[in-house]
Amino acid sequence: MSLYCGIAYRRKISQGYRLLSTYVTKARYLFELKEDDGACKKAQQAGAFYLFHSLAPLLQTAEHRYLVPRFSLLEVESLLHKFGQDAQRIEDSVLIGCSEQHEAWFALDLGLNSSFSTHASLPKSEVETELQGSFIELRKAIFQLNSMDSSLLFTAQALLRWHDGHQFCSKSGQPTRKNIAGSKRVCPSNNIIYYPQMAPVVITLVSDGTRCLLARQSSFPKGMYSALAGFCDIGENMEEAVRREVAEEVGLEVENMQFSASQHWPFPNSSLMIACHATVKPGQTEIQVNLRELEAAAWFSYDEIATALRKKGTYIQQQNEAFPFLLPPKLAIAHQLIQEWVEKQTCASLPA
Ligand SMILES: NC(=O)C1=CN([C@@H]2O[C@H](COP(=O)(O)OP(=O)(O)OC[C@H]3O[C@@H](n4cnc5c(N)ncnc54)[C@H](O)[C@@H]3O)[C@@H](O)[C@H]2O)C=CC1
Ligand SMILES: [Mg+2]
């Protein structure tokens, strides 16, 4: 091969003929299904369906874990038929992901009102018997789900809830129509497109260098304390929201902050949790709790937090034990912030 030809060959490779990674082909495949109703409908044929009833996922118990069954299109169609519903109800389903082999995954709620079939919801307990599972409230199930299942079910529940709450155009009042993937809804009278929204929420672990600040709302489980959190106001960036929320909730001024990670959190509605660490000015650490927002807030020492992190057992077991306070569940990004803080404190205390 001549030198030129070799260079041309290399350029050809660099111009995108190289093999795309599995992640890239998966992302592009899902994008195509969201944009092309025909492709999405075709993907349903060989796809798999997660079933919900009034936003509770169908789960099967196996020892101390929950399994999340998936059903083929044929199985879902025969279930609908068995309970006197037309297969058109499948158009209420939403695309929630796909496997590396491009098996598309959908979620379908059998309990919410259907915009496609006049029938009401399927009878919950009979469907549970038929499918040998139970529809379990997601917030209760998260403690016994693995992270991949919980992430998929979080997305599914958030999307199903969004469609259920956005059946009409907020401008014309006309019924809106979802696309096959459920990635948008359109008003046929004015062509306004509605996209599923997440509300941005900042969550901050405030430290004064040796202690961290945790707070609780009356709605939290008994004894649980968490990092400070708050919805971003319109027009605010993350930094401004952190400063405002800390000032509002505990009367302190944040000095520095450092982004940590983010998380989709579907409870009670879809929030995008933007997590960061923040420090307050040394000497300016006197908490003044805003009792309109919080039930309590306090500084916690490294030892108290490290001991709480070492607590074993389920949430309920921990609650029953006479333990001064509980930390958020591992799945919550608040727990990750607290874990990071303890690791940082541990490293800082090691001899140089
Ligand atoms: N995943 C995690 O680790 C954690 C998640 N969270 C979540 O963060 C969210 C915000 O926490 P809060 O302290 O309650 O927020 P917050 O401190 O902003 O107080 C809630 C109040 O914000 C107002 N608000 C403003 N925009 C809102 C919106 N888009 N939706 C609902 N209310 C809005 C309402 O008046 C509401 O009562 C909650 O949904 C909670 O579930 C909270 C702590 C930990
Ligand atoms: Mg808050």
Side-chain angles (χ1 to χ4, degrees), residues 201 203 217 229-231 245 249 263 265 267-268 273 293 332-334:
V201 172
I203 180 161
Q217 291 178 11
F231 290 96
E245 276 294 332
E249 297 197 344
Q263 171 184 52
W265 189 249
F267 311 113
M273 304 304 299
E293 293 224 44
I333 201 158

